Amino acid sequence: MKISLIQTNPQSDRDANLARTLKIMETAVTADKPDLVVLPEYFDVYGLSNEEKFAVAEEKGGKAYKFAQDFARTHGVYVHAGSVMERIEGESRVFNTTFVFDRTGKEIAQYRKIHLFDVDTPDGLVYRESDSVMPGEDVVTYDVDGFTVGCGICYDIRFAELFVALQRKGCDLIVLPAAFTMQTGKDHWEVLARARAIETAAYFAACGQTGFTETNGEKRACYGHSLVADPWGMLVAQASDGEGYVTATLDKEQNQRVQNLIPVGRHRRLSC
């Protein structure tokens, strides 16, 4: 199976973001013919205040949803649509939600981010995701041509118990859209992605935003460096800085080889 990770730098203009993202997606599909195309967290719009987030949030079926759905149908590929701000009826917060579409444009999975980023980073920036986002609860998988794929979003990467749960569901690949901060990304992004691959004996695909956005006059940078790690924890593809894409070929036999060498799934004794 081939997977292409689309790395972008979304700003506050949804239409401009989607137009730029479409060009990169089309380039990747034409050049590499992937089976699965992955977008980053908040691929459609980013750099908003809490009030603006709620104002632009859409119910299922909105512009970003249809953008990914139409691309899947038009190009005959699976699309793991990063994440979008999903409006919640009667609530002042939103869900941070991934939608996944099959080759016909049918929705086959919905995952709402479980772990919310409430952190004071080492460089002094403060993030309070829970002020505007409600956490999800469900562990979600879907199928791509015989590959069982698990879902996570950004900060989820730090919580091993989610990935143990996905390993127990038989995941061959785990996909994590993100908008990882520059400060934490340079030290933790690759280490955590490789660790999650090793402990699950699954491929791990982390698709990140890149570059700067400005929120309330404060500039914030995302790390980018979208990557794919194999079940042994080795990097098989990684993007450089800037917008673009990276493609990797996944071999399910590698999952089986690693699981036979070190069968952690059978040896695990503690439940979580």
Side-chain angles (χ1 to χ4, degrees):
M1 182 179 83
K2 274 189 177 181
I3 179 173
S4 289
L5 310 183
I6 309 300
Q7 182 167 284
T8 60
N9 177 217
Q11 303 293 317
S12 58
D13 185 331
R14 176 180 276 135
D15 289 340
N17 294 333
L18 294 181
R20 193 165 62 253
T21 300
L22 178 61
K23 290 182 180 179
I24 301 172
M25 293 169 75
E26 288 177 336
T27 299
V29 167
T30 299
D32 292 346
K33 297 178 174 54
D35 302 289
L36 173 63
V37 175
V38 181
L39 300 174
E41 182 179 19
Y42 291 146
F43 70 92
D44 63 323
V45 62
Y46 196 58
L48 304 178
S49 67
N50 289 344
E51 294 77 15
E52 290 169 331
K53 287 179 185 178
F54 185 74
V56 305
E58 299 180 328
E59 295 180 356
K60 182 187 291 191
K63 184 173 289 187
Y65 181 100
K66 290 180 179 176
F67 167 87
Q69 184 180 49
D70 289 347
F71 189 91
R73 183 187 301 116
T74 299
H75 294 277
V77 297
Y78 288 82
V79 175
H80 188 115
S83 76
V84 299
M85 300 169 204
E86 181 193 1
R87 184 182 293 274
I88 309 166
E89 183 69 29
E91 286 286 345
S92 59
R93 293 186 292 171
V94 302
F95 285 125
N96 185 346
T97 305
T98 293
F99 294 105
V100 184
F101 304 96
D102 70 9
R103 297 182 192 274
T104 69
K106 177 185 176 182
E107 181 192 316
I108 58 171
Q110 171 186 281
Y111 170 73
R112 291 165 172 161
K113 185 178 182 182
I114 294 173
H115 302 98
L116 303 183
F117 192 56
D118 289 356
V119 172
D120 298 349
T121 61
D123 58 1
L125 294 177
V126 177
Y127 296 81
R128 292 288 180 268
E129 189 174 19
S130 65
D131 286 349
S132 58
V133 178
M134 288 185 64
E137 298 179 351
D138 297 328
V139 178
V140 175
T141 67
Y142 61 93
D143 179 82
V144 175
D145 299 340
F147 274 76
T148 300
V149 184
C151 298
I153 298 175
C154 202
Y155 192 48
D156 283 333
I157 199 174
R158 295 182 180 273
F159 298 88
E161 58 270 27
L162 170 59
F163 302 97
V164 171
L166 289 170
Q167 186 268 332
R168 286 179 170 144
K169 287 178 173 285
C171 284
D172 305 297
L173 164 67
I174 296 168
V175 175
L176 183 114
F180 227 71
T181 71
M182 178 66 72
Q183 183 70 30
T184 57
K186 65 184 179 62
D187 295 329
H188 296 165
W189 174 251
E190 181 179 322
V191 174
L192 286 167
R194 294 178 66 188
R196 299 293 86 96
I198 292 167
E199 71 192 6
T200 59
Y203 284 94
F204 194 91
C207 182
Q209 284 194 30
T210 186
F212 286 92
T213 56
E214 187 171 315
T215 304
N216 295 329
E218 184 177 69
K219 276 196 170 184
R220 299 185 175 189
C222 288
Y223 183 63
H225 294 83
S226 300
L227 61 84
V228 179
D230 76 3
W232 193 250
M234 304 302 293
L235 293 186
V236 295
Q238 186 169 31
S240 59
D241 294 330
E243 294 190 318
Y245 71 93
V246 64
T247 300
T249 299
L250 315 186
D251 179 2
K252 205 169 180 181
E253 290 185 4
Q254 177 69 349
N255 297 77
Q256 195 58 57
R257 283 193 291 269
V258 172
Q259 291 163 19
N260 289 339
L261 281 168
I262 306 179
V264 293
R266 295 201 305 269
H267 293 164
R268 184 169 282 113
R269 298 182 64 191
L270 300 179
S271 60
C272 55

